[in-house]
């Protein structure tokens, strides 16, 4: 169930006779071709494995986010060509005043289709459009996991669920809004320009949550996110848009998990929103989907290259995921606290928090939850010259840490 009625983009996905039967066995089956799924697939490129990635839409066809990310993640992953606009300040609006935070790192908006296509260019997997229905009936105990799709049953010993919050390949646990720990988000994309990356913490728009305007060169991505899944965000998305002098169009929305879930279950690996990897409070889930997607891809690569078993990969990936649990728990605590702060206290508090030392400290720690260094610089190298935007430093020529170092660094962070 979508949170609000949304206008649908034109589908490029194959229909009718073009949807030929699809079945058989693969080395790796990745379900979901958005941030998390593509990040896993890219880590497997060159491994020699037969990797199939399936999605109900064509790659990049259906955007479900404002597409904002710390710039360094784009740079390190060789994705700067998809960048639309870059910001070094964040404007915080409350009913009693506005504060401008000078960020210690820059944040960018990007084009979803272009970014997905760039990620896909780095993969050597096969892609098919297919709707995943769930787990198929298991075979003869040979370690193959069967996945049922609208085009047939596909099996693989390594299966990834990167399908988003529904976590289709897990045992049904009744995890449904409005009772599950899910936020809801809705946004519109009117044309227009602005220099300000802006947030509204204002109960007139949402009792617990925030509104945003993320400019992306020639459009504004304006939306409302509610931590309370029972609060309907459509009316106030329209209100905020009109308050900014724009008319709402192109509605897009989704549920956003704000709690970690198990990293593996029944032999399947979960990543991105399906594992609850979206950060509470900020609802930032793209960089974490890429980050955990890379971590998972590296473990799966170890399996297909014969360096470890699936069980080893399950243990390693689950423990990597678990080391982040306390950070997600803290973010959730703050998410629950903010709506309780009286509005009159909020404005001076937000202004106090705009002090450079506090902003540097808090935003640096926030970035370290999924640090860009984890990506290394293998993708940035070679294309750095034309990718460096104004004031952007070039990536290192080589990865100075190596895989183990990156794992260690991420765990320490
Ligand atoms: C309005 C809104 C704005 C947001 N803005 C931001 C932002 O600016 N920055 C940020 O970091 N995060 C943002 N988020 C959160 C972010 O969108 C998610 O955390 C992120 O998309 C998770 O990536 P993912 O790859 O795990 O899942 P998704 O991006 O949800 O991808 C899941 C994929 O699985 C496919 N799929 C789903 N079900 C099936 C099925 N049954 N069969 C086949 N395929 C299927 C989908 O088509 C999709 O391609 C926003 C969320 C919302 C709702």
């Amino acid at each position: 169930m979508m949170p609000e009625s949304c206008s649908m983009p034109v589908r490029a996905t194959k229909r009718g006779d073009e949807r030929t039967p699809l079945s058989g066995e693969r080395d790796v089956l990745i379900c979901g071709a958005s941030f998390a799924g593509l990040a896993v697939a890219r880590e497997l490129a060159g491994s020699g494995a037969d990797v199939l990635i399936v999605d109900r839409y064509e790659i990049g066809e259906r955007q479900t986010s404002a597409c904002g990310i710390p710039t360094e993640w784009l740079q390190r992953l060789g994705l700067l060509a998809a960048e639309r606009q870059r910001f070094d300040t964040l404007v915080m609006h409350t009913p009693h005043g506005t504060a401008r935070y000078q960020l210690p790192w820059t944040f960018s908006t990007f084009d979803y289709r272009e970014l997905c296509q760039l990620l896909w260019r780095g993969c050597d997997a096969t892609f098919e459009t297919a709707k995943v229905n769930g787990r198929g009936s298991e075979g003869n105990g040979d370690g193959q996991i069967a996945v049922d799709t609208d085009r047939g049953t596909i099996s693989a010993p390594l299966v990834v669920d990167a399908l988003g919050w529904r976590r289709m390949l897990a045992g049904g646990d009744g995890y449904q809004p409005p009772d599950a720990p899910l936020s809801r988000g809705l946004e519109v994309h009117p044309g227009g320009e602005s220099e300000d990356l802006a947030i509204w913490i204002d109960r007139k728009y949402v009792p617990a949550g925030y509104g945003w305007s993320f400019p992306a060169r020639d459009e504004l991505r304006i939306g409302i996110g509610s931590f309370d899944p029972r609060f309907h965000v459509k009316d106030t998305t329209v209100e905020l848009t009109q308050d900014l002098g724009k008319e709402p169009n192109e509605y897009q929305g989704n549920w956003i998990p704000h709690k970690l879930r198990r990293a593996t279950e029944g032999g399947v690996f979960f990543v991105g929103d399906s594992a609850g990897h979206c950060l509470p409070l900020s609802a930032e889930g793209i960089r974490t989907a890429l980050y955990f997607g890379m971590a998972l891809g590296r473990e799966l690569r170890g399996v297909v290259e014969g360096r470890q078993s699936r069980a080893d990969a399950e243990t390693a990936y689950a423990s990597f995921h678990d080391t982040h649990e306390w950070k997600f728990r803290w973010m959730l605590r703050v998410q629950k606290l903010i709506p309780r702060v009286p509005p009159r206290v909020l404005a001076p508090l937000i202004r106090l928090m705009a002090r450079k030392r506090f902003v540097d400290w808090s935003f640096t720690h926030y970035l370290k939850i999924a640090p860009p260094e984890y990506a290394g610089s293998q993708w940035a190298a070679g294309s750095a010259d034309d990718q460096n935007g104004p004031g952007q430093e070039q990536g290192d020529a080589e990865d100075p840490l190596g895989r183990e170092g990156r794992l260690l660094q991420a765990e320490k962070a």
Side-chain angles (χ1 to χ4, degrees), residues 236-258:
T236 53
T237 298
V238 171
E239 190 181 344
L240 174 59
T241 308
Q242 289 176 340
D243 286 351
L244 296 176
K246 302 287 174 195
E247 277 310 309
N249 64 344
E250 295 179 28
Y251 289 90
Q252 73 179 28
N254 206 348
W255 298 101
I256 311 169
H258 54 239

Side-chain angles (χ1 to χ4, degrees), residues 31-37 54-58 62 64-69 107 110 112 130-133 162-166 168 184-187 212 214 223-224 252-257 271-274 277-278 282-289:
C31 302
S34 186
F35 307 108
V54 294
D55 197 291
R56 58 189 165 174
Y57 300 112
E58 291 289 346
R62 188 159 167 167
T64 53
S65 96
C67 293
I69 190 168
F107 194 81
F110 61 83
Y112 179 70
K131 182 172 175 296
V132 173
N133 297 324
L163 293 165
W165 72 270
R166 276 200 183 81
M168 300 276 303
R184 67 195 303 168
L186 181 71
E187 68 176 21
W212 66 85
F214 283 13
I224 300 286
Q252 73 179 28
N254 206 348
W255 298 101
I256 311 169
V271 65
D273 278 7
S274 80
H277 286 148
C278 190
S282 62
E284 197 201 339
I286 298 171
R287 106 177 117 113
T288 47

Side-chain angles (χ1 to χ4, degrees), residues 25 28 35 103 105 167 201 267 413:
E25 291 181 7
V28 184
F35 307 108
L103 302 176
W105 38 268
R167 200 177 158 95
I201 304 179

Side-chain angles (χ1 to χ4, degrees), residues 339-351:
R340 295 198 198 124
V341 179
R344 294 221 158 261
V345 178
L346 195 61
L349 191 68
I350 296 259
R351 275 199 296 275

